[in-house]
Amino acid sequence: MNDTMHAVVYRKSLPITDPASLEDAELPVPAPGPRDLLVRIEAISVNPVDVKVRAGVDPGGKPKILGWDAAGTVVAVGSEVTLFNEGDEVYYAGSIDRPGTYAQYNLVDERIVGHKPRSLSFAEAAAVPLTAITAYETLFDRFRLTGESTGTLLVLAGAGGVGSILIQLARALTGLTVIATASRPESRQFALDMGAHHVVDHRELVDQVKAVVPEGVEYIFTPNTEGRINEFAELLRPGGEITAIDDPGVLDVMPFKAKSVTFHWEFMFTRPLFQTADMAAQHELLERVAALIDDGTLRTTLTTTLSPIDAATMRRAHESVETGRTIGKTVLTGS
C-alpha cells in the first residue's frame, strides 16, 4: 500500500458549478487508532448532508474530505478492534467529525460499521448505511415502535434516500399502514415499489391524506419541515409524534400543543459524535439490516451509478442531489 492516496476535497464553500468546488488531491494514508478500521473504499454514495456541509462549512483553504457512506474492504485494524478482521467486506456511514469517504482509504470506528450484505455488490451496499441508520433510529429509537405497533405513518419524500428505506423497514418490522408523498409518476411508482400502501401529493397534503385516513395519522417522518407545521398539526392525531431530519431555521411548534404532539429530531451522527455508551448499537443495526437484505426482506435503494470516483464525477453527483428531485440513491465506484 502506498503512503499517499487519491481523494476528492474542497477547500472553500463554492457553487457546485465552480470547478474548484470539489477538487482532486493526493493526501497521506491515515493510520488507524485503537478502535479504528482502515478501509479501502470500493464505492461511496452521495447524500444531502454532503451538499449541506460543502455549502455551509468553509474549511478556510485546508483540504476537507466529504462523504459518509461507503462500502469497502478492511486492510488494517487498530490494536483494540474485536469485531472485524483484515479482509472483511464492510459498509458504514461514518462520523461527521472525521475525514470522509471521498478517498481511496478511510478510517472508521468499528462500533459504527457492519459486515457488507453478502448478496449485494459494493455499489449496492454503499447506497444503504446512512439512510438505513436514519430510518431505523426514527422508527425504533424515536417512535419506539415494535413489531406489534399499528396505526398510520406518513412518510414525506417517500422516493428519497431515507424515505425509500424507511417505507421498507416500516412494512417489514411493524404493523403500520404507510402513506408516502411523491408527486411525479416515476417517484410515485418508486414509493409503491418500496412498499407504501398509499401515495399522496405533497402539494395537496392535508386533503389527500385525510381522504385516506379522515381521523389523521399517528406518526409523521419529514425531511421537509419548514412551512409545514400547521399542516402536520392538522394531520396528526392527539398524542401523535413527528420526527424531522432537516435543518430549518426557527420553528414555531406551538400548533402542536393542543394535541400534545411529541416532536423528535433524528441525527444519525449523534452516537459517534458524542461517543455515547450505546454507540455500538449502530454496528448491531447494520448487521440486522444486512441480514434482512440477504434474506430478501429489504432491497438496496441504489438507482444511479457513476464512475470514476473523482472530482468531476462528484460534482455531477452533487448537482443532481441539489435538485432535490433524485429518486433513491446515487453511488460512485471505481478509482
Side-chain angles (χ1 to χ4, degrees), residues 177-219:
T177 297
V178 181
I179 303 174
T181 71
S183 56
R184 292 170 289 148
E186 60 270 30
S187 57
R188 291 177 61 87
Q189 188 58 53
F190 192 74
L192 289 169
D193 291 344
M194 293 298 105
H197 293 92
H198 308 278
V199 179
V200 300
D201 192 323
H202 66 90
R203 293 167 296 194
E204 301 175 22
L205 189 64
V206 173
D207 289 344
Q208 291 201 6
V209 171
K210 286 200 167 184
V212 178
V213 278
E215 69 277 16
V217 304
E218 284 84 359
Y219 307 99

Side-chain angles (χ1 to χ4, degrees), residues 199-282:
V199 179
V200 300
D201 192 323
H202 66 90
R203 293 167 296 194
E204 301 175 22
L205 189 64
V206 173
D207 289 344
Q208 291 201 6
V209 171
K210 286 200 167 184
V212 178
V213 278
E215 69 277 16
V217 304
E218 284 84 359
Y219 307 99
I220 293 176
F221 165 80
T222 175
N224 304 301
T225 308
E226 197 163 15
R228 290 199 174 274
I229 295 298
N230 288 327
E231 291 175 300
F232 295 157
E234 186 171 350
L235 286 172
L236 281 165
R237 300 183 71 174
E241 301 183 46
I242 180 169
T243 293
I245 64 168
D246 54 336
D247 299 293
V250 176
L251 287 180
D252 179 3
V253 296
M254 280 304 295
F256 292 148
K257 183 177 181 180
K259 291 183 176 178
S260 298
V261 165
T262 301
F263 188 99
H264 305 277
W265 290 113
E266 162 56 25
F267 187 53
M268 57 80 52
F269 294 119
T270 297
R271 282 180 164 128
L273 192 59
F274 292 94
Q275 299 278 301
T276 60
D278 67 345
M279 183 172 162
Q282 289 195 349

Side-chain angles (χ1 to χ4, degrees), residues 120-201:
L120 297 187
S121 67
F122 283 110
E124 292 168 330
V128 174
L130 187 146
T131 53
I133 294 170
T134 301
Y136 197 101
E137 290 184 347
T138 292
L139 293 173
F140 304 110
D141 292 348
R142 308 298 162 244
F143 291 149
R144 303 171 304 283
L145 300 173
T146 69
E148 287 71 48
S149 295
T150 58
T152 303
L153 167 67
L154 173 62
V155 179
L156 270 72
V162 179
S164 54
I165 195 75
L166 182 67
I167 291 168
Q168 294 184 68
L169 285 167
R171 285 298 308 270
L173 302 179
T174 77
L176 296 177
T177 297
V178 181
I179 303 174
T181 71
S183 56
R184 292 170 289 148
E186 60 270 30
S187 57
R188 291 177 61 87
Q189 188 58 53
F190 192 74
L192 289 169
D193 291 344
M194 293 298 105
H197 293 92
H198 308 278
V199 179
V200 300
D201 192 323

